Amino acid sequence: MPKLPHPIHAVLFDLDGTLADTAPDLVAAINRMRLARAMPALPYEPLRLLASHGARGLVGAAFDRRPGDDEYEPLKQEFLANYAAALCVDTRLFDGIPTVLEALERRGMPWGIVTNKITWLTTPLVRQLGLSEKAACVVCGDTTPHSKPHPAPLLFAAEKIGILPQHIVYVGDDLRDVQAGKAAGMPTVAAAYGYCGDGLAPAEWQADALVNAAVNLMDLLDMASVSA
């Protein structure tokens, strides 16, 4: 297992596909739209791969509409309303994540969330997952003027928790997470157990490390000469 390049004093996580398996509720929301139009529901697995891309990915797959198309914005707003109405029905933390978070807390090591999900969806979801009181910071897609892969959200999170970026590892299940982490000067971990999109394989993202199960994060941190 590769060693992270700096002593790690904090961990930041992407939300969808890294901390939480939100795909069941995201896919259900887009398929409700298809069923309302007398269209067949789409299979779960292909849509699951796109869950980290939110409305853009799911509306594109379900209705072949992209940002800039005339019908995209109404479809996006309908999708978001559908999703907000059933935000945390089948969503769960990934296996191993509770163990990792508890271990970080025992060490006194802060952890936080940096997601491209907008605040009005992120805040209630994080609360329903029982993470609101534990996360050192929650940075959303509209917290800063730029979202990932821009480094601004990660740099904002580093400032919030008061730790230099080079001593914070960012864990994510999408190429843009690794790109954002690198641009922010943070070591990065590819969460290969997550959604990972339908493009390059996680092993090709040039992350500092890759984990196939969330619980393996603790092995990486143990090797990083953690100093709380």
Side-chain angles (χ1 to χ4, degrees):
M1 182 177 292
K3 184 176 180 180
L4 294 172
H6 301 285
I8 300 303
H9 299 166
V11 183
L12 295 174
F13 297 93
D14 175 48
L15 180 56
D16 298 79
T18 302
L19 269 186
D21 188 3
T22 55
D25 291 325
L26 288 162
V27 171
I30 202 73
N31 270 332
R32 281 196 295 276
M33 292 172 62
R34 287 180 58 89
L35 292 172
R37 291 165 171 78
M39 301 168 71
L42 293 175
Y44 175 74
E45 285 301 329
L47 292 180
R48 180 184 185 275
L49 294 176
L50 301 172
S52 285
H53 294 278
R56 176 170 51 87
L58 292 167
V59 169
F63 297 103
D64 195 25
R65 296 294 183 271
R66 305 291 186 275
D69 293 345
D70 289 343
E71 296 176 42
Y72 174 79
E73 193 60 29
L75 288 168
K76 172 186 171 182
Q77 294 306 320
E78 183 182 346
F79 166 73
L80 293 176
N82 263 357
Y83 179 51
L87 189 65
C88 197
V89 176
D90 294 311
T91 290
R92 300 289 185 271
L93 296 179
F94 277 101
D95 289 345
I97 287 294
T99 300
V100 170
L101 299 183
E102 289 164 9
L104 294 175
E105 289 158 14
R106 283 196 304 271
R107 295 179 177 192
M109 183 185 295
W111 61 269
I113 298 168
V114 180
T115 176
N116 276 359
K117 207 182 200 82
I118 53 181
T119 300
W120 67 273
L121 291 173
T122 301
T123 300
L125 178 58
V126 171
R127 182 179 65 249
Q128 290 180 59
L129 289 170
L131 303 178
S132 296
E133 301 302 318
K134 300 176 182 179
C137 67
V138 179
V139 178
C140 305
D142 52 352
T143 301
T144 66
H146 304 281
S147 57
K148 299 175 295 181
H150 197 280
L154 290 171
L155 294 173
F156 182 84
E159 184 177 351
K160 287 281 287 183
I161 62 178
I163 296 175
L164 293 173
Q166 62 263 36
H167 296 302
I168 303 172
V169 65
Y170 187 48
V171 185
D173 73 307
D174 194 273
L175 173 60
R176 67 171 178 251
D177 297 323
V178 173
Q179 293 170 332
K182 286 184 173 296
M186 294 181 184
T188 56
V189 175
Y193 59 84
Y195 305 143
C196 300
D198 57 355
L200 289 176
E204 299 178 65
W205 295 350
Q206 298 185 23
D208 293 292
L210 179 150
V211 292
N212 289 307
V215 73
N216 295 144
L217 286 167
M218 293 316 301
D219 296 328
L220 271 178
L221 294 171
D222 286 341
M223 296 175 64
S225 302
V226 171
S227 153

